[in-house]
Amino acid sequence: MKLSRARLALIIGAAGLLLLVAVLVSPLLLMSMPSFLADGGITVDCEDTAQVEEVSDSAASDIPAEYLELYKEHGKKIGVQWNILAAVGKRETDHGRSTLPGVSSGTNSAGAAGPMQFLISTWGGKARIPASSEFNGYASDGDGDGVADVYNPADAILGAAKMLKRNGAPENVRQALFVYNRAWWYVDQVEEIARQYAKSGVVKVPPQASEDCDDPLVEAAPSDLVAKILQYALAQRGKPYLWGGTGPDSFDCSGVIYAAYKAAGLTIPRTTFTQWPFGVKVLEGEEQPGDLVFFNAGPGTSADSPGHVGLVVSKGKMLEARCRLCGPIKVTSYQARDNRVGFTRPLQNPDVIEQIKKLQNPSL
């Protein structure tokens, strides 16, 4: 079709006007648009360790005040999004308000009990267990009364937080929720409730899960040697756990630390049990990047023989390869772990000191 000169001039003029408007307006748009639109990715506050998500109006009106405080308290303590915990409580028993069997006493047809609907076998074998007892399960004493009671909201919510953390939260909440109740429709429903409960409308992931926070950790290392250790360790994030693994494709808890020190030119013991007595003990509060933090990890382990270890990457944070079902290697908090037994500094072991001297002066 042949355009007249007048129509062609009109089209060119309109295009020019649109271009002028775009040029004038775009700086304003960039100034006002959210960071995730302006620069292509969500801006991460690497110092935000509280994982605070504001409560939406719907959450405030729907969740009983006692339950809301428990979700927030135990979510923060364990390191799980409170709104995910609250969404599980809503989906399972409407925050304990359901009158169905198994909520306040007994079990339902599937054998689940309490406001967070634990299988009694998963809880610990009995509905009520003295907190001092040894058991395999998620039974917890959330209110300090000395009893882990599956029907007590404080106890049940703390147990649920531990179970979600154990299975991938806060980084991989979908995996954690699937383990909680093995149905993807359940996962979708809980996530939708969690989004409604959050004022932001999303399920936030803590900043330590972001690779954007790796560089500040390396830059803050107390020495170039520690920086090399951290750089290697952080590069392993996202790889799977494998018992006995020392890389390069998978690691166990002590294996990734052993490999990180090796990448910096240092040799330390391979296993958790041998790493614990190797380093010089460090008082809590005096730990620094490059130190190791140890945990009691169940049967066969103790305060004198811990079974799990993480690498301190900054105050309160560690890199760890936790277990096969716990999700990939990640940076997480060690301060919320009540089974922590202590810190050590391998760099102060006499053998390592000699290795460092040789690295600095190969002629020795």
Side-chain angles (χ1 to χ4, degrees), residues 18-362:
L18 287 174
L19 180 60
L20 178 61
V21 170
V23 169
L24 292 173
V25 172
S26 58
L28 297 176
L29 288 175
L30 287 173
M31 290 174 62
S32 61
M33 71 173 54
S35 60
F36 67 88
L37 292 177
D39 57 22
I42 297 175
T43 299
V44 178
D45 180 4
C46 297
E47 298 304 314
D48 176 16
T49 58
Q51 299 184 47
V52 174
E53 172 60 70
E54 291 189 51
V55 179
S56 69
D57 291 340
S58 64
S61 62
D62 183 49
I63 305 173
E66 174 194 0
Y67 273 74
L68 180 57
E69 287 306 308
L70 289 171
Y71 293 136
K72 294 168 72 174
E73 175 188 350
H74 294 317
K76 181 178 180 180
K77 177 181 179 181
I78 301 303
V80 174
Q81 297 93 330
W82 74 262
N83 50 322
I84 286 290
L85 267 179
V88 171
K90 174 66 175 180
R91 178 61 184 78
E92 295 291 352
T93 67
D94 191 21
H95 310 300
R97 291 177 292 213
S98 172
T99 58
L100 292 174
V103 178
S104 58
S105 64
T107 63
N108 64 13
S109 58
M116 302 304 279
Q117 291 291 276
F118 273 96
L119 295 175
I120 296 299
S121 59
T122 304
W123 181 252
K126 295 187 296 183
R128 295 179 176 87
I129 304 172
S132 59
S133 301
E134 291 188 6
F135 51 83
N136 293 319
Y138 293 100
S140 304
D141 180 11
D143 58 3
D145 66 356
V147 178
D149 184 348
V150 75
Y151 304 107
N152 182 328
D155 298 352
I157 291 170
L158 177 57
K162 290 180 178 179
M163 185 173 180
L164 291 169
K165 178 74 171 184
R166 164 71 167 70
N167 292 302
E171 292 85 359
N172 193 342
V173 292
R174 289 187 63 81
Q175 172 185 286
L177 290 170
F178 183 79
V179 175
Y180 202 94
N181 188 337
R182 294 182 178 275
W184 288 114
W185 57 261
Y186 174 89
V187 175
D188 293 338
Q189 288 182 5
V190 171
E191 278 200 314
E192 179 56 32
I193 296 170
R195 285 191 286 268
Q196 294 174 9
Y197 280 169
K199 193 169 184 178
S200 67
V202 299
V203 177
K204 289 184 178 180
V205 176
Q208 60 258 31
S210 172
E211 292 182 2
D212 292 340
C213 294
D214 286 358
D215 287 343
L217 294 176
V218 174
E219 291 168 2
S223 69
D224 291 342
L225 189 61
V226 173
K228 289 180 181 179
I229 294 170
L230 297 188
Q231 196 166 30
Y232 180 91
L234 291 167
Q236 311 316 307
R237 288 188 355 175
K239 293 184 178 180
Y241 174 94
L242 176 66
W243 186 82
T246 55
D249 299 321
S250 54
F251 300 84
D252 66 10
C253 64
S254 56
V256 69
I257 295 171
Y258 170 82
Y261 270 77
K262 187 176 180 180
L266 302 174
T267 299
I268 64 171
R270 159 67 186 87
T271 67
T272 304
F273 297 112
T274 52
Q275 287 175 359
W276 168 244
F278 181 79
V280 174
K281 300 297 186 294
V282 177
L283 293 176
E284 183 163 353
E286 296 180 5
E287 72 274 13
Q288 62 185 28
D291 291 346
L292 308 188
V293 53
F294 292 84
F295 303 86
N296 188 346
T301 68
S302 66
D304 296 324
S305 184
H308 181 59
V309 61
L311 174 69
V312 176
V313 296
S314 70
K315 192 61 68 70
K317 296 180 183 179
M318 65 178 174
L319 179 129
E320 67 169 342
R322 191 170 186 185
C323 69
R324 185 176 61 84
L325 297 177
C326 300
I329 296 170
K330 67 185 77 174
V331 174
T332 186
S333 170
Y334 58 75
Q335 291 179 322
R337 304 278 183 86
D338 53 13
N339 59 339
R340 188 171 69 253
V341 300
F343 302 86
T344 70
R345 187 164 297 159
L347 294 177
Q348 288 186 349
N349 177 279
D351 289 343
V352 175
I353 291 174
E354 289 301 314
Q355 294 178 46
I356 294 172
K357 289 179 180 178
K358 290 180 180 180
L359 286 175
Q360 295 172 341
N361 188 354

